[in-house]
């Protein structure tokens, strides 16, 4: 009985220490006005600008025309390049002017129609049309060339059908194959949904590393870490409250971003269970916070924490699959992507918010994050114990 009572008292005392230390961490964080302003801006203004100002689609790409034929057919083809994908930007007199406008960035593309274009079409001869594209931005350049090829290809089919007397629709008798495309989860292909969620996950990752590391280094700078080490607190009771406090703050910031920005301003559907989303977010913060604690054992001041955060954050973003598909990476990078916690968090977040999937499909991502979290946090606590033990 006495042993059970002492164990119960120790358990209660341990929980009380965790609660008090968590309150201390929250108070210290809220007293840092500059950090709180940065935190609030990141979960509001930064996410709003990412959702409203960044588009991965081709819109109003400026295109000039070098018309060497000046016929009805050449004008008809040039007129097909219209908004919302293209924006006509006048004509150029010769090839030198076309290259100069591309070099100056005045236009994204130049449509070069050769002489005798209409005449050769009417004779049924093969005629080539050149589309010169500025691909310094590879994504927009690829979209420009793809859309341009579709427009020219469609015009060529219509011209061939009219020459054969089949009419604009072709008038072909017999079975036809029709491609029926169905877009799932984001039927309007709204960039704001993808970019908003992506920026939210990036901000969560940033503060999951930065806040615990900054809290630990602040203890070093003020000399209070030595005072904590001579108290009855264990290494776990010193480190874990920092993670708990920062997790609560980041969850609050995520709620502000979802219910204050993405939901009301961009109509993000949030189809799945929000409880599952916040639980997985808490697990991800715990996983990533271990990296912050490891950085804190290396850094000596807040400036070094900031630099180490960038060093850790950038590979996580590039290996997550948010900007580059995992399948498009080299084999050795593909292997590294599977040890990036953000890769699993990305799948879970998009799956819950846009697809409405449940834990029955996300259990593997949750399991991977749990394993990574335990390993990384244990490594951080072990290094901390060696450094100050």
């Amino acid at each position: 009985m006495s042993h059970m009572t002492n164990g119960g008292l120790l358990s209660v005392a341990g929980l009380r220490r965790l609660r008090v230390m968590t309150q201390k961490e929250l108070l210290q964080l809220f007293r840092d006005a500059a950090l709180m302003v940065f935190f609030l801006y990141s979960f509001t203004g930064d996410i709003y600008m990412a959702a409203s100002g960044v588009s991965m689609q081709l819109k109003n790409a400026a295109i000039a025309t070098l018309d060497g034929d000046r016929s009805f057919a050449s004008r008809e083809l040039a007129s097909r390049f219209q908004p919302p994908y293209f924006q006509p930007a006048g004509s150029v007199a010769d090839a030198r002017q076309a290259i100069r406008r591309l070099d100056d960035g005045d236009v994204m593309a130049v449509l070069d129609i050769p002489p005798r274009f209409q005449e050769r079409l009417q004779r049924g001869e093969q005629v080539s049309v050149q589309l010169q594209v500025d691909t310094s931005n590879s994504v927009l350049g690829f979209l420009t060339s793809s859309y341009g090829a579709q427009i020219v290809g469609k015009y060529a089919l219509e011209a061939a059908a009219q020459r054969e007397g089949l009419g604009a629709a072709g008038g072909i008798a017999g079975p036809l194959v029709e491609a029926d495309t169905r877009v799932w989860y984001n039927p309007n292909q709204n960039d704001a949904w993808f970019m908003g969620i992506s920026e939210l996950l990036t901000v969560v990752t940033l503060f999951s590393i930065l806040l615990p590391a900054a809290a630990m280094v602040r203890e070093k700078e003020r000399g209070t870490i030595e005072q904590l080490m001579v108290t009855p607190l264990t290494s776990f009771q010193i480190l874990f409250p920092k993670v708990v406090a920062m997790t609560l703050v980041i969850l609050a910031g995520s709620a502000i971003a979802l219910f204050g920005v993405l939901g009301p301003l961009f109509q993000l559907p949030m189809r799945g269970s929000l409880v599952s989303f916040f639980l997985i977010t808490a697990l991800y913060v715990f996983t990533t916070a271990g990296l912050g604690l490891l950085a804190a054992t290396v850094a000596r001041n807040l400036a070094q924490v900031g630099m180490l955060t960038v060093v850790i954050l950038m590979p996580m973003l590039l290996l997550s699959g948010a900007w580059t598909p995992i399948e498009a990476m080299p084999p050795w990078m593909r292997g590294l992507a599977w040890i990036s916690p953000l890769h699993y968090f990305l799948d879970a977040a998009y799956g819950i918010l846009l697809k409405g999937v449940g834990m029955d499909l996300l259990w593997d991502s949750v399991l991977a994050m749990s394993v990574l979290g335990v390993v990384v946090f244990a490594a951080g606590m072990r290094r901390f114990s060696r450094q100050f033990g």
Side-chain angles (χ1 to χ4, degrees), residues 7-341:
L9 289 174
L10 288 176
S11 177
V12 172
L15 291 176
R16 182 175 180 275
R17 290 171 183 172
L18 291 177
R19 177 178 60 81
V20 172
M21 289 295 293
T22 302
Q23 291 176 346
K24 177 189 82 72
E25 297 298 335
L26 290 172
L27 287 175
Q28 286 184 336
L29 177 62
F30 292 147
R31 288 172 182 170
D32 193 334
L35 185 58
M36 289 307 301
V37 169
F38 176 50
F39 178 86
L40 291 174
Y41 163 77
S42 299
F43 279 98
T44 54
D46 181 61
I47 292 177
Y48 174 80
M49 287 192 293
S52 61
V54 179
S55 176
M56 303 296 290
Q57 298 181 5
L58 184 69
K59 291 184 179 179
N60 296 322
I63 181 170
T65 303
L66 175 56
D67 191 349
D69 190 43
R70 298 185 182 277
S71 62
F72 174 80
S74 63
R75 289 192 296 270
E76 171 65 20
L77 176 59
S79 69
R80 302 290 182 94
F81 290 80
Q82 293 292 328
Y85 302 122
F86 293 96
Q87 181 65 46
S91 59
V92 292
D94 51 39
R96 289 184 179 181
Q97 186 181 2
I99 295 297
R100 186 166 59 251
R101 295 194 66 179
L102 285 170
D103 290 341
D104 293 341
D106 293 338
V107 295
M108 174 68 72
V110 174
L111 178 65
D112 187 351
I113 303 176
R116 301 176 56 225
F117 174 74
Q118 178 172 296
E119 177 184 346
R120 296 173 65 182
L121 274 181
Q122 291 175 346
R123 290 181 178 178
E125 299 178 3
Q126 181 177 353
V127 55
S128 298
V129 174
Q130 185 180 62
L131 183 66
Q132 302 179 63
V133 182
D134 176 8
T135 57
S136 54
N137 185 322
S138 59
V139 175
L140 294 182
F142 173 77
L143 293 175
T144 300
S145 60
S146 299
Y147 289 4
Q150 292 180 28
I151 292 173
V152 173
K154 183 178 180 180
Y155 175 80
L157 289 176
E158 293 179 359
Q162 290 179 356
R163 186 180 65 251
E164 299 296 331
L166 300 176
I172 301 175
L176 298 176
V177 177
E178 180 178 356
D180 188 7
T181 303
R182 184 174 184 180
V183 180
W184 285 83
Y185 310 126
N186 189 356
N188 294 327
Q189 301 181 43
N190 188 353
D191 285 329
W193 292 1
F194 171 78
M195 295 304 302
I197 297 176
S198 177
E199 189 66 17
L200 172 60
L201 304 189
T202 301
V203 170
V204 168
T205 305
L206 169 65
F207 283 103
S208 298
I209 301 171
L210 179 62
L211 292 183
M216 179 60 68
V217 171
R218 193 182 293 112
E219 302 277 11
K220 287 185 181 181
E221 290 181 331
R222 296 173 180 174
T224 55
I225 189 67
E226 288 80 5
Q227 298 177 11
L228 290 174
M229 293 305 298
V230 298
T231 64
L233 296 172
T234 64
S235 298
F236 179 81
Q237 291 172 337
I238 294 175
L239 294 179
F240 190 67
K242 297 182 184 297
V243 176
V244 172
M246 304 315 162
T247 300
L248 294 175
V249 172
I250 291 172
L251 289 179
S254 301
I256 292 173
L258 286 177
F259 303 123
V261 180
L262 296 177
L265 299 182
F266 300 100
Q267 290 74 50
L268 184 70
M270 293 181 273
R271 295 189 174 95
S273 169
L274 292 179
V275 174
S276 298
F277 172 78
F278 283 109
L279 287 176
I280 292 177
T281 302
L283 175 62
Y284 175 71
V285 173
F286 167 76
T287 302
T288 315
L291 297 173
L293 294 178
L294 280 174
T297 60
V298 177
R300 297 181 179 179
N301 51 58
L302 288 176
Q304 292 183 359
V305 166
M307 290 187 290
L308 286 173
T309 299
V310 174
V311 170
I312 297 172
L313 178 64
M314 294 311 298
M316 289 181 63
L317 291 178
L318 295 176
L319 293 172
S320 66
W323 305 110
T324 302
I326 301 294
E327 297 77 12
M329 296 180 182
W332 66 272
M333 288 188 66
R334 208 175 305 161
L336 293 176
W338 297 110
I339 61 174
S340 171

